[in-house]
Amino acid sequence: MTFSMVRLGLETIDELDCDTLVAYHFAEDRPLKRLAGVVDWRMNGWLSKQVVHGLASGRARDMLLTPGKAQFPVSRLLMVGLGTRSEFSADLYRSVCLSTLRTLIRLPSQRFAIEIPGGDEVNLVPRQAMEMWLTAYHQTIVSLGMEVQVTFVGTQEEIEDWKDPLTRFEKQYGGELGAF
């Protein structure tokens, strides 16, 4: 397994080396925010149209899998709903992580990029969100012995918070923390 991290931005998503990009969104997000918003911008509002037409509701664990578009450098985009901000919790996030990773296994995806929701808007510290994601990753990907490359997309502050849990995980289970 190989982990790397990149800062959220138009420049960095254009250079992602992955077969699948995972973007989370809340049901009430209009316009889309964070990674989903950046991807929507790059795709000329195509994701917003899917939300408006009800194809990406944002309900917890609701997923929309779509091929990448010409103006976007990934083969597949997976939009995953987080529910509403008022219902979002650590337990819900654990469930969403497991659902997302199980879907990535079924695709299959060998190289994916994913954002880890965290911070004030979800009352979840980025380090805690990463630790929860890594637990789900261990229960799914690692337990199956799969070799995958994961690129985490986040703000500079989030990336700094993620370094310790990722380093501990890699020491415990093997792997390599790439450049960030």
Side-chain angles (χ1 to χ4, degrees):
M1 80 188 120
T2 303
F3 296 139
S4 60
M5 297 178 272
V6 298
R7 281 197 350 227
L8 177 62
L10 285 172
E11 323 74 51
T12 54
I13 65 164
D14 285 341
E15 308 217 354
L16 289 173
D17 180 25
C18 62
D19 56 43
T20 308
L21 178 68
V22 179
Y24 293 108
H25 68 112
F26 285 97
E28 66 268 25
D29 282 355
R30 308 289 187 284
L32 293 170
K33 299 181 181 356
R34 297 184 46 92
L35 182 57
V38 172
V39 172
D40 191 40
W41 176 265
R42 176 59 70 222
M43 296 175 75
N44 300 318
W46 188 85
L47 291 178
S48 290
K49 291 175 187 162
Q50 307 317 299
V51 171
V52 167
H53 294 301
L55 297 173
S57 70
R59 287 187 309 268
R61 294 172 298 282
D62 182 46
M63 296 187 194
L64 171 67
L65 177 65
T66 181
K69 301 294 179 200
Q71 65 272 46
F72 197 63
V74 298
S75 301
R76 298 176 292 229
L77 173 64
L78 180 63
M79 291 278 295
V80 181
L82 295 172
T84 63
R85 281 183 174 74
S86 63
E87 73 182 356
F88 188 80
S89 66
D91 288 338
L92 175 63
Y93 180 59
R94 281 185 198 92
S95 172
V96 169
C97 289
L98 286 168
S99 295
T100 302
L101 288 163
R102 288 176 181 141
T103 298
L104 290 166
I105 290 168
R106 286 191 304 270
L107 288 177
S109 178
Q110 300 298 311
R111 295 181 339 257
F112 60 89
I114 189 167
E115 95 179 294
I116 304 295
D120 293 337
E121 82 171 335
V122 293
N123 292 321
L124 197 59
V125 177
R127 176 186 306 256
Q128 178 189 17
M130 177 58 79
E131 289 168 348
M132 292 165 58
W133 188 89
L134 287 169
T135 298
Y137 181 83
H138 182 264
Q139 293 171 346
T140 54
I141 306 285
V142 174
S143 68
L144 292 173
M146 296 177 65
E147 284 295 320
V148 298
Q149 296 175 351
V150 182
T151 301
F152 298 103
V153 182
T155 66
Q156 188 62 43
E157 289 175 350
E158 290 167 338
I159 289 171
E160 290 301 319
D161 279 356
W162 296 338
K163 287 179 185 176
D164 285 342
L166 282 169
T167 301
R168 282 193 316 273
F169 186 86
E170 289 178 326
K171 284 181 183 174
Q172 186 171 359
Y173 299 107
E176 175 185 327
L177 185 58
F180 46 86

